[in-house]
Each structure stands twice: as structure tokens, then as C-alpha cells.
């Protein structure tokens, strides 16, 4: 059980960092808006996983 919680927390942290990086690196064009939205969604999934852990 502890191993599952640790891997879930690591995944959540990775998703939060990945989402933040995508938001930071998004170019200022329409494609960048899609990357920004995807980054926000990934970040929210990571935060949701972290809260459940």
C-alpha cells in the first residue's frame, strides 16, 4: 500500500511540474493556447492526484 501511495505522489508531482513547464513554454500563437490549456489540465490532474494521496 505504501509503495502505491509513493508512486502516486511521484506521478502527481511529475504532472504538476510538466503542466507548469508546458504553461511556461507555450508560444504566443493559437497552438500555444492549446499547449497552455493542456498544461492547465495536466496540472489539475496532478493536483487532484496529490489531494487523494
Amino acid at each position: 500500500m505504501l509503495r502505491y501511495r509513493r508512486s502516486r505522489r511521484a506521478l502527481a508531482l511529475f504532472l504538476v511540474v510538466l503542466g507548469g513547464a508546458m504553461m511556461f513554454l507555450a508560444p504566443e500563437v493559437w497552438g500555444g493556447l492549446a499547449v497552455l490549456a493542456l498544461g492547465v489540465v495536466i496540472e489539475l490532474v496532478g493536483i487532484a492526484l496529490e489531494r487523494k494521496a
Side-chain angles (χ1 to χ4, degrees):
M1 184 71 169
L2 180 62
R3 181 177 213 143
Y4 173 71
R5 186 174 293 169
R6 187 176 299 159
S7 63
R8 187 176 180 155
R9 180 163 287 195
L11 176 63
L13 180 62
F14 172 74
L15 289 175
V16 168
V17 171
L18 179 64
M22 289 181 74
M23 288 187 286
F24 180 74
L25 296 174
E28 296 179 16
V29 293
W30 283 107
L33 186 60
V35 172
L36 180 68
L38 183 60
V40 169
V41 169
I42 290 173
E43 184 119 3
L44 290 174
V45 169
I47 291 169
L49 282 174
E50 181 66 29
R51 294 193 96 197
K52 285 186 175 183

